[in-house]
Structure formats: structure tokens, C-alpha cells
Amino acid sequence: MRLLRSWLFVPGDSERKMEKALGNDADALLLDLEDSVADDRQDVAREMVADFLAANQDRSQQQLWVRINPLDTDMALPDLAAVMSGAPDGIILPKVYSAAEVNRLADFLLALEAREGLELGSTKICSVATETAASLLTFDSYLKDISPRLVAMTWGGEDLAAALGASTNRHPTTGEYDDPFLLARSLCLATARAIDVQAVGVVYVDFRDSAGLEQECLRDRRSGFIGKVAIHPAQVEVINRAFTPTDEEIDFARRVIDIFEQNPGMGTIGLDGKMLDMPHLKQAKNVIALVDQLR
Ligand code: COA
Ligand code: MG
């Protein structure tokens, strides 16, 4: 699958926001049926999202995903039943306890794809992998048996704070995430890399602070995340820029690859006065692969 840099949440009961989000630079819109929709608006939201999907079938520039309610609520199946007629590119699964629910969702999708005459297996899944206390202890379940529909994982610090009984997820003076949340972040990243799916950075809730967002994007990228969830259209440009390798990075990566190609059999080489060895070559190839996959 093409890698997606910016994943913009849009409340599923807001025609105005859905129209505004359409065709902006977000690589994917996440039409939300969960936390941004009030209980008495669920039916309205399902219908609006289904209509929006049906009206926007060309996904070549922007994918359309839907966040459904958690599988342990009685809203999840009606959500799916309503939106699958519009052939969403993927489903965001919140409040996951383990990989078992991802696989259960995959079975539901298969049935609904058959009902709708869609290509079987075409609907992808992204799990919000850290919103329950149990989820921090079950990451190994993803390594045992996981549906190939799972193409991305992200994490969440807001619901996790509530689940852990935390009064806040940030350190009061530094503003950094406290350790349970950094643990969640690291486990999500390691698991995603272990099963070769895209690790997507968490939402940055302070949507007026674009400098802070940029710093967090660069930190996520240094760690190995690709892309980030957005909640406001103004965040999209910052995210796209931060996760696109710069011309200098691409040039340097090409030079690293070239110098190893020109010196076959050499495991370590000097370039610009610095030692390069196999991890640097691998990193350079990652940069070029990322550029190719973002096209
Ligand atoms: N998608 C599309 N359009 C959006 C948007 C979004 N996520 N967030 C804001 N906009 C639009 C607004 O409608 C407004 O346009 P308008 O004046 O023509 O109506 C414009 O962008 C500027 O919005 P702004 O005034 O800066 O923000 P706000 O106070 O209206 O909204 C939020 C703030 C947080 C409520 C809003 O950004 C939002 O709904 N975000 C998504 C929330 C969500 O889905 N959460 C679930 C995942 S955590
Ligand atoms: Mg939430």
C-alpha cells in the first residue's frame, strides 16, 4: 500500500467539515463515527458518512477511511453495515484490547464486502493500539496471527490516560509525555515495525501550535514513525512537510548508496570525514524507499 503521511480526522456528523476537508492536502480523511459524534447523532452521522463515501469514489488523491465505534459496543456493527456500501478505503478500529479484535473486524469486513460486491480483502484496517490498559500487555498477539488487512497502527494517549487512572498524560513542567505513554508509543512502534505495517504518530491536540506540532513530527520521524494523525486542516501541511524527505536527505542517501555500489565488498567506508557501515546503507535505502512509496 501507498504510505499515508497525514490522516485528518473529520467529525462524521458535520457536512460542513467533510466538504472542507475534501480535496485538501491530507493523504487520508478519517470520517469519525466515534468520540467526536454525540450519542443522539449516531444515526445521522452513519448516513452522512455513507452518502459522502458514495459521492466520492475517486480516491486516487485522497483516501477515505472511517473510524467506527469499539467492537465491544453495540454501535460497531451498525456503523459497519451502514458505511460499507460506500467502499471506504479502510476502517480505524479504536479501543483495542488485542489483535483478536482486528481479526474479528477482518471477518466482518469479508462478509460485508461480499454483500456489497466489493473486492474481497480490499478494505484495510488501522488499529488505535493503545487505548485500553490491557492493550499494553497484549502486543505480542499481533506477532502470532494477524489479518493482512492491517496496514497501519497508531496509538492514543487520551483514552489511555483515563484507562490507567491518570489525571494527566503529560509531565507538568516539561510538557513531555509521562512514562506510561512513552511506553505505549514505543510498543506501538516496535510492534508495527515487527509486522511490517506503518506506524503512525499520535494526534497533537494543541492545534494552534504549529511549531510544537512540527517538533513532534520530527521526533516521531526520528523514532521510525511515518505520518501523523491530524485533527485540524491547518496541521496537514506541517505533517506532510515533516514526513517528506528533504532534497538534502535524498541527495545524501543517494551518495551513500552510490559509494557502496562503487566499492563492492567493502563493509565500511568514509564519506565527508564520517564512517559509514551497513546500518547507514540500510537507512539510506529506507529514505529512497520512502520517497518512492510517497509518490
Ligand atoms: N476537518 C475539516 N474541517 C475542519 C476541521 C476538520 N477536522 N476542523 C476545523 N475545520 C474547519 C472549520 O469548520 C472552520 O471552517 P468554517 O469557519 O468555514 O466553518 C475552519 O476549519 C477553521 O476551524 P477553527 O475555527 O480553527 O476550529 P474550530 O474551533 O471550528 O474546530 C475542532 C476545532 C477541534 C472542534 C475541530 O478542528 C474538529 O472538529 N476536529 C476534529 C475532531 C475529531 O474528529 N476528533 C476525533 C479524533 S481525536
Ligand atoms: Mg478517543
Side-chain angles (χ1 to χ4, degrees):
M1 195 192 76
R2 200 160 65 86
L3 292 168
L4 305 170
R5 296 163 302 179
S6 44
W7 306 59
L8 174 63
F9 263 119
V10 189
D13 66 340
S14 171
E15 221 150 354
R16 184 180 181 91
K17 285 179 184 166
M18 285 198 274
E19 284 305 329
K20 279 205 94 114
L22 190 68
N24 86 355
D25 287 336
D27 289 338
L29 301 186
L30 312 182
L31 309 170
D32 189 26
L33 296 177
E34 198 210 5
D35 286 347
S36 69
V37 178
D39 283 356
D40 63 352
R41 298 273 295 167
Q42 290 295 329
D43 287 336
V44 177
R46 277 177 198 137
E47 206 178 303
M48 262 188 212
V49 168
D51 289 348
F52 186 78
L53 290 167
N56 296 288
Q57 289 289 321
D58 176 6
R59 313 285 170 72
S60 55
Q61 297 304 312
Q62 187 173 60
Q63 294 195 2
L64 300 179
W65 289 57
V66 178
R67 181 168 72 172
I68 60 167
N69 281 283
L71 282 192
D72 62 358
T73 67
D74 58 12
M75 295 185 281
L77 277 172
D79 286 349
L80 283 176
V83 300
M84 284 301 288
S85 61
D89 294 281
I91 301 295
I92 310 279
L93 184 62
K95 309 210 181 26
V96 169
Y97 295 87
S98 78
E101 289 159 286
V102 174
N103 294 332
R104 202 147 62 87
L105 172 59
D107 290 342
F108 294 146
L109 291 175
L110 188 62
L112 290 164
E113 284 165 349
R115 185 191 72 182
E116 300 298 335
L118 300 173
E119 187 190 330
L120 302 183
S122 55
T123 317
K124 304 306 178 199
I125 300 174
C126 170
S127 68
V128 190
T130 69
E131 290 186 314
T132 63
S135 68
L136 297 191
L137 307 171
T138 59
F139 269 104
D140 62 324
S141 62
Y142 285 87
L143 274 64
K144 289 176 187 140
D145 169 35
I146 189 68
S147 165
R149 291 177 190 267
L150 187 77
V151 294
M153 295 173 82
T154 187
W155 63 286
E158 308 304 318
D159 290 284
L160 181 62
L164 296 179
S167 56
T168 169
N169 53 24
R170 302 268 183 176
H171 189 277
T173 49
T174 64
E176 293 279 317
Y177 276 113
D178 270 325
D179 48 299
F181 306 94
L182 291 176
L183 174 72
R185 176 179 185 272
S186 297
L187 288 172
C188 175
L189 173 65
T191 305
R193 288 286 170 180
I195 61 174
D196 198 20
V197 303
Q198 183 179 346
V200 180
V202 73
V203 291
Y204 187 78
V205 288
D206 195 354
F207 60 84
R208 304 263 182 244
D209 177 11
S210 57
L213 171 65
E214 184 177 17
Q215 287 312 307
E216 202 177 271
C217 287
L218 295 176
R219 181 180 175 176
D220 281 353
R221 194 170 156 218
R222 281 198 302 275
S223 302
F225 288 91
I226 296 175
K228 200 166 180 65
V229 177
I231 50 167
H232 191 282
Q235 295 185 313
V236 167
E237 195 209 323
V238 176
I239 294 174
N240 285 351
R241 194 167 5 98
F243 286 96
T244 305
T246 62
D247 291 345
E248 293 79 54
E249 286 172 303
I250 297 168
D251 280 353
F252 183 71
R254 293 223 169 92
R255 288 177 64 215
V256 172
I257 293 168
D258 283 352
I259 198 168
F260 276 103
E261 273 174 8
Q262 284 156 16
N263 295 279
M266 280 182 72
T268 180
I269 303 181
L271 181 67
D272 301 340
K274 294 213 175 76
M275 184 202 78
L276 296 177
D277 57 9
M278 287 302 120
H280 299 102
L281 177 59
K282 196 169 175 193
Q283 186 59 30
K285 286 181 174 167
N286 283 344
V287 170
I288 300 302
L290 179 60
V291 173
D292 290 341
Q293 282 173 289
L294 290 175
R295 286 214 175 97

